[in-house]
Amino acid sequence: MSNLLGLEVKKVTETPPEEVERVKNWINSEEYKEKNFARQALVINPAHACQPLGAQLAAHGFEGTLPFVHGSQGCASYYRSTLNRHFREPAPAVSDAMSEDGAVFGGQNNLHEGLENAVALYKPKMIAVFTSCMPEVIGDDLTAFIRNAKQKAVVPKDLQIPFANTPSFNGTHIHGYDSMLVSILQTLTEGKQIEGRCTGKLNLIPGCDFNTGDYREYKRILKEFGIPYTMLADISDTFDSPCDGTYAIYAGGTKLEDAADSINGKATIAIGPYATPKTFGWIRDTYSGKHVSLPMPMGIAKTDALIMKIAELFGKEVPASLKNERGRAVDAITDSHQYMHGKRFAVYGDPDYLTGYVSFLLEMGAHPHHILCSRGSKKLEKELQAMLDGSLYGKGCTIYMNKDLWHLRSLLMTDPVDAVIGDTHGKFAARDAGIPLFRFGFPVFDRVNKHRYPIIGYQGVVNMVTEICNKFIDIKDETCEDRYFEMMR
Ligand code: SF4
């Protein structure tokens, strides 16, 4: 065997080709699947990221806010590069680069020096601090560290520094998002509630969503209604800013003033019950006005639920433009359902994405045959099962909680489906199974502009239906015999 330079490479272990072939076939077998599913202490290719990554996403959603990682520099690089690869935009964040000293003596010195430098260099309006694993393991006390930083005048006393403990050995990016968001809102709204004041606005929390197109879609829907709103943790401009030759370290984000006043809102809608339970719970107990938690509005029924709730909360008729949009989405489904009807899908991802995918597929008469979540819960399982039980197309579909993408591969090889819905990490399993992967989740590293196409709302329905059905038609065109190669499909 030779390498790329044509030089001879001696293998450390020689494996006979027939053994390679045997193992290649064996890992596709039922026998292997059983062993794979019996695995206890090993996770292979989990479909989630670590808590601080979600915390960083939430921090980017606020004006002039610098995400600050208390912990290891390598961890910070991982969150930044993941967000950067997904959005193809910079994800500016700093780290206090804890090393051996910090691990032994605690990270207060690192944090103080880091905060001082961050203020001097990047002049943020707010610094959102969150942790990597190391300070969590040694039990660093962020409350005391940040209080000390202000007492010692390391940072200005009035600088807002919300912080969140985001231990990655417990939870995923959605939990980090929730912890950071609630901390930011608690910090910004402290002392801002005014008896009798009502902003007249809707506070909308889009949840731990990595699709900037979705954020813009929510805004467009609210504009159609003519409802004033504050979008909390708005990353639409942060991660989709115009290319005009200038670099803005703090592009976009919710205005801090608006976020502070959100406590006096007329109503609050938190999207994604699995990504915002702490935030929503705190808002429900604290904020003025009405409070509602809703699933991600994917598919017609879930979008209807959002639209009707907005209309109810603000005592408004659904605008004709949105009714027409709904009609067009239903028309798009009617025109194309035959390409999806009866097809079997495997879906995986974050809980809020999953409930959306399943609802959408069932509406299309498709079967979400394998439903897999690498960090799920009994509550999620129950909700998904109820959705399956409520539809003809849910029959025979199975939910796999706390399973990873290597489990998914076994499922695809032993109980085949027509396509997979998930994120880029599923491409290897999909390729092995010879089926398409529809990338609607996070992260998407290997396709362009996906984060600009909304998958929520009626427009999201049209986008998903178009992408999925056209792919199936492409496959037909590429694989059919000449005599079946038709102009019409
Ligand atoms: S899991 Fe822990 S150590 Fe690994 S990148 Fe995340 S925070 Fe860092």
Side-chain angles (χ1 to χ4, degrees), residues 21 94 99 192 210 217 219 237 269 296 306 363 463:
E21 198 55 27
V94 296
S99 58
K192 301 288 180 185
F210 296 81
E217 192 58 15
K219 290 184 194 179
D237 288 338
I269 295 180
M296 267 184 99
L306 172 69
E363 281 177 355
N463 288 347

Side-chain angles (χ1 to χ4, degrees), residues 42-63:
L42 175 69
V43 176
I44 306 173
N45 209 359
H48 63 254
C50 62
Q51 280 215 46
L53 188 146
Q56 184 170 335
L57 185 83
H60 281 300
F62 290 86
E63 176 198 19

Side-chain angles (χ1 to χ4, degrees), residues 471-482:
K471 182 66 186 176
F472 284 135
I473 297 170
D474 276 346
I475 292 171
K476 183 102 181 153
D477 272 349
E478 286 158 10
T479 58
C480 72
E481 289 176 36
D482 283 354

